[in-house]
Amino acid sequence: MKINIKDTARDYLAEKISPDQYVFLGLDDGSSKFSKLGGSCSVGGKFQLVLSDQPDADYTIPLENNGGYKMFTSKEETPYLENGLYLQFNNAALGLGSDGGLLDGAMRVTKADPSQITKADMEALGGKIC
């Protein structure tokens, strides 16, 4: 699987990602172990880049990219990823798109949280989850 990182996104990400980090393209809809957002109204339509100092056993599908990043995704994300994937930075927001159009126009770049999400986190989010 390939992803093209457009120049604007490459400039933006250069300030966030160090060369030795792993980058995981994950869903940010409540279904990913890295996601503390989402719910039924965002399933498959919200993504994030998660940075980690180590590989993750769930994120093993390489994403060939022109940014030189160690980038991976998981089998849970692949049904939502289309041909011609790209990252762009436009209007102060990181976006993920494909041949079919924009998939997410406001992605987060976050660090992997080893504690992951807990039941207390979900209760604290309460009404923020649709």
Side-chain angles (χ1 to χ4, degrees):
M1 192 174 285
K2 292 183 180 183
I3 187 166
N4 178 35
I5 303 173
K6 295 187 176 186
D7 291 342
T8 55
R10 207 170 329 161
D11 294 343
Y12 173 75
L13 293 173
E15 298 176 13
K16 303 223 176 261
I17 304 172
S18 66
D20 58 327
Q21 285 184 305
Y22 290 84
V23 182
F24 308 126
L25 174 61
L27 288 164
D28 194 13
D29 61 3
S31 67
S32 162
K33 69 181 180 183
F34 298 120
S35 179
K36 291 187 178 183
L37 300 174
S40 61
C41 66
S42 63
V43 171
K46 188 83 182 106
F47 293 87
Q48 64 182 330
L49 292 181
V50 180
L51 310 179
S52 178
D53 295 330
Q54 57 193 5
D56 187 287
D58 295 326
Y59 287 79
T60 58
I61 299 171
L63 289 171
E64 183 182 325
N65 66 85
N66 58 328
Y69 297 117
K70 296 184 279 188
M71 190 176 284
F72 299 87
T73 194
S74 79
K75 65 182 179 180
E76 280 73 29
E77 279 74 12
T78 58
Y80 303 103
L81 302 176
E82 302 171 352
N83 291 326
L85 287 176
Y86 64 85
L87 287 173
Q88 67 180 12
F89 188 75
N90 191 26
N91 295 324
L94 184 65
L96 175 68
S98 70
D99 288 344
L102 193 62
L103 299 171
D104 184 351
M107 293 177 61
R108 294 185 317 140
V109 178
T110 187
K111 295 199 178 197
D113 180 359
S115 66
Q116 299 174 10
I117 194 162
T118 65
K119 184 176 180 181
D121 291 330
M122 295 302 284
E123 290 171 357
L125 287 168
K128 296 177 186 167
I129 300 174
C130 56

